[in-house]
Amino acid sequence: MPLISVQHLEKVYDSEGVKTPALRDATFDIEKGEFVSIMGPSGSGKSTLMQMLGLLDRPTGGQYLLEGKNTVELDDNTLATYRNKKIGFVFQAFNLLPKTSVFENVELPLLYDDKAFGKNGDRVNAALAAVEMSHRTTYLSNQLSGGEKQRVAIARALVNDPEIIFADEPTGNLDSKSGLQVMSILQELNDAGRTIILVTHETFTAEHAKRILRMTDGRIVADELVRSRRRAEGEDFLK
């Protein structure tokens, strides 16, 4: 059974009677442990698709099965639980609290998990170690470089041990070297078994994945396997 199964997914935005289709007839599966890029120009529907897959918004048509469960039939509380337990998000804008420590930023998702009480320290430290940010635990997030902020954002996405990590333009605000460091971390997480779904408009970034879904005008127009990944280039650049 696929981790994600999407059948004829649609999203239409209605603003004062004006209907704008943003996602049209999307059908595909994603297996556990895949690294998939959703690629397309601005306005192609890639971010809308990520919002549907990440349970941040509801589709207006079609079916979305997550681990075999039809998410369209789930209530808002159940969807919120799924988001906190199964999904981690990394965004272009980092979304860190500026005058809050690195530790507290990473800890934030655990504050909504009663079962995590008393284990926060170990889980936060393990997540920071995974992105090589243990030496910045007590720093305020506004004292970090852009690349460091994104690594903290990845640690925050990891702290609840999610099944899937969604990364929306994670290198968009970074210089080339920092961007490669972030992509290297995502590749390592994927190699360790984590499912990664990356949204990007950049070919170079998309080709770090093993598979690319290409979008135009709200439609998936191609589903391609990536023949050669960028790992070697990234590692050479970082040395």
Side-chain angles (χ1 to χ4, degrees), residues 210-238:
K210 299 174 184 176
R211 176 183 169 198
I212 299 176
L213 300 178
R214 297 186 186 273
M215 297 192 68
T216 301
D217 296 331
R219 297 185 183 275
I220 296 174
V221 295
D223 186 345
E224 307 167 351
L225 294 178
V226 178
R227 293 184 179 180
S228 66
R229 300 173 69 186
R230 297 284 187 174
R231 175 180 301 280
E233 295 179 29
E235 288 180 346
D236 289 344
F237 186 90
L238 294 171

Side-chain angles (χ1 to χ4, degrees), residues 59-85:
T60 49
Q63 180 175 264
Y64 171 24
L65 302 181
L66 177 60
E67 295 183 322
K69 294 185 179 180
N70 189 354
T71 62
V72 177
E73 298 175 351
L74 301 179
D75 61 34
D76 289 344
N77 288 335
T78 304
L79 290 178
T81 299
Y82 261 79
R83 283 195 302 270
N84 198 44
K85 301 287 187 181

Side-chain angles (χ1 to χ4, degrees), residues 41-55:
S42 178
S44 63
K46 59 187 185 297
S47 291
T48 298
L49 177 56
M50 191 209 76
Q51 289 172 356
M52 301 298 110
L53 298 180
L55 307 177

Side-chain angles (χ1 to χ4, degrees), residues 153-195:
I154 294 173
R156 183 182 56 194
L158 284 174
V159 75
N160 263 336
D161 193 26
E163 189 78 24
I164 312 166
I165 293 178
F166 288 95
D168 190 0
E169 301 282 6
T171 63
N173 285 336
L174 304 179
D175 59 56
S176 297
K177 184 173 182 178
S178 296
L180 283 170
Q181 289 172 333
V182 165
M183 293 310 303
S184 178
I185 290 169
L186 292 176
Q187 287 177 331
E188 289 171 4
L189 293 172
N190 177 244
D191 290 342
R194 200 86 54 172
T195 304

Side-chain angles (χ1 to χ4, degrees), residues 94 96 141-154:
F94 316 131
L96 301 179
S141 65
N142 58 5
Q143 295 176 310
L144 304 177
S145 68
E148 288 175 329
K149 288 178 181 178
Q150 196 60 291
R151 286 154 67 184
V152 171
I154 294 173

Side-chain angles (χ1 to χ4, degrees), residues 29-154:
D29 292 340
I30 295 177
E31 302 291 340
K32 182 177 180 179
E34 280 200 84
F35 190 158
V36 179
S37 285
I38 301 171
M39 185 183 175
S42 178
S44 63
K46 59 187 185 297
S47 291
T48 298
L49 177 56
M50 191 209 76
Q51 289 172 356
M52 301 298 110
L53 298 180
L55 307 177
L56 296 170
D57 198 0
R58 290 182 179 271
T60 49
Q63 180 175 264
Y64 171 24
L65 302 181
L66 177 60
E67 295 183 322
K69 294 185 179 180
N70 189 354
T71 62
V72 177
E73 298 175 351
L74 301 179
D75 61 34
D76 289 344
N77 288 335
T78 304
L79 290 178
T81 299
Y82 261 79
R83 283 195 302 270
N84 198 44
K85 301 287 187 181
K86 300 288 185 180
I87 296 171
F89 295 99
V90 180
F91 297 101
Q92 177 178 350
F94 316 131
N95 292 344
L96 301 179
L97 300 177
K99 295 183 179 180
T100 306
S101 73
V102 166
F103 183 98
E104 290 168 325
N105 269 284
V106 175
E107 184 187 29
L108 190 60
L110 298 178
L111 302 181
Y112 301 94
D113 183 2
D114 293 337
K115 294 181 180 178
F117 184 76
K119 303 177 183 177
N120 289 13
D122 291 342
R123 292 170 68 169
V124 171
N125 289 329
L128 287 170
V131 298
E132 299 182 358
M133 284 295 290
S134 298
H135 62 299
R136 293 285 192 258
T137 300
T138 60
Y139 279 54
L140 300 181
S141 65
N142 58 5
Q143 295 176 310
L144 304 177
S145 68
E148 288 175 329
K149 288 178 181 178
Q150 196 60 291
R151 286 154 67 184
V152 171
I154 294 173

